Amino acid sequence: MEETYIDSLDPEKLLQCPYDKNHQIRACRFPYHLIKCRKNHPDVANKLATCPFNARHQVPRAEISHHISSCDDKSCIEQDVVNQTRNLGQETVAESTWQCPPCDEDWDKDLWEQTSTPFVWGTANYCGNNSPASNIVMEHKSNLASGMRVPKSLPYVLPWKNSK
């Protein structure tokens, strides 16, 4: 029995195609060949049924019930079902030991340290004290070429997004 089981796992073992008896296919390529040959032989494919325990088993429709009752792969599936039902009562969910890592962030402090002026592209703020409570007026220095200025506001419709 064990020798037969090992032999069935050999990827180089040649298997006969159920669609074309002249095809001898290596076991490792057999599932791919079945798909291809099933498409090429639809008349034969309609006469065969697929085993619910192993898709490699293509059996004549009239013999499928006999095959299901005697399929070697059925015992593997049944054993898995038995093992799952046994383990179902034994499984316990472990308590989580995860703890939140310590947080060094202080959003209130960060907010206090931020500058009170909004970011404007093309300008730079130069001021020694960035606290919002400071009464120092910040000087805006433009990095744009002379004669150019930053627009006060953007247009509602951008010219390149015009959908006319």
Side-chain angles (χ1 to χ4, degrees), residues 1 5 8 10 34 54 79 84 87-88 93 104 123 128 142 148 150 152 156:
M1 169 72 182
Y5 182 71
S8 67
D10 181 15
L34 282 178
N54 187 339
Q79 189 61 40
Q84 286 178 352
N87 294 339
L88 189 62
V93 179
D104 297 334
T123 64
S142 176
M148 295 188 74
V150 178
K152 299 283 185 211
Y156 287 105

Side-chain angles (χ1 to χ4, degrees), residues 115-130:
T115 179
S116 63
T117 59
F119 173 78
V120 178
W121 182 260
T123 64
N125 296 334
Y126 296 101
C127 182
N129 188 356
N130 285 341

Side-chain angles (χ1 to χ4, degrees), residues 18 47-51 56-65 67:
K47 296 176 185 173
L48 297 177
T50 303
C51 172
R56 295 177 179 202
H57 298 169
Q58 301 292 316
V59 183
R61 288 194 184 277
E63 299 174 16
I64 190 68
S65 60
H67 175 81

Side-chain angles (χ1 to χ4, degrees), residues 135-152:
N135 290 333
I136 299 173
V137 176
M138 290 188 215
E139 175 185 336
H140 293 285
K141 180 177 178 183
S142 176
N143 293 330
L144 297 174
S146 63
M148 295 188 74
R149 65 174 181 81
V150 178
K152 299 283 185 211

Side-chain angles (χ1 to χ4, degrees), residues 3-160:
E3 185 177 315
T4 307
Y5 182 71
I6 292 171
D7 190 35
S8 67
L9 295 178
D10 181 15
E12 299 301 318
K13 180 182 176 187
L14 291 177
L15 302 174
Q16 186 179 32
C17 174
Y19 300 105
D20 186 343
K21 302 299 180 191
N22 296 318
H23 292 176
Q24 295 292 317
I25 312 302
R26 290 183 306 154
C28 61
R29 298 293 307 160
F30 196 66
Y32 307 104
H33 177 82
L34 282 178
I35 294 169
K36 183 179 176 185
C37 228
R38 182 181 190 94
K39 290 179 184 176
N40 292 338
H41 301 280
D43 52 330
V44 179
N46 290 334
K47 296 176 185 173
L48 297 177
T50 303
C51 172
F53 305 113
N54 187 339
R56 295 177 179 202
H57 298 169
Q58 301 292 316
V59 183
R61 288 194 184 277
E63 299 174 16
I64 190 68
S65 60
H66 173 62
H67 175 81
I68 288 173
S69 63
S70 63
C71 181
D72 291 336
D73 293 323
K74 178 181 176 182
S75 61
C76 297
I77 301 293
E78 288 174 343
Q79 189 61 40
D80 287 346
V81 170
V82 169
N83 289 340
Q84 286 178 352
T85 54
R86 284 182 187 164
N87 294 339
L88 189 62
Q90 296 175 357
E91 286 184 24
T92 57
V93 179
E95 292 288 327
S96 175
T97 58
W98 184 85
Q99 292 181 350
C100 183
C103 182
D104 297 334
E105 295 179 349
D106 185 357
W107 291 8
D108 294 328
K109 180 182 172 189
D110 291 346
L111 182 63
W112 181 256
E113 291 175 352
Q114 286 180 352
T115 179
S116 63
T117 59
F119 173 78
V120 178
W121 182 260
T123 64
N125 296 334
Y126 296 101
C127 182
N129 188 356
N130 285 341
S131 71
S134 172
N135 290 333
I136 299 173
V137 176
M138 290 188 215
E139 175 185 336
H140 293 285
K141 180 177 178 183
S142 176
N143 293 330
L144 297 174
S146 63
M148 295 188 74
R149 65 174 181 81
V150 178
K152 299 283 185 211
S153 65
L154 290 175
Y156 287 105
V157 179
L158 299 173
W160 59 86

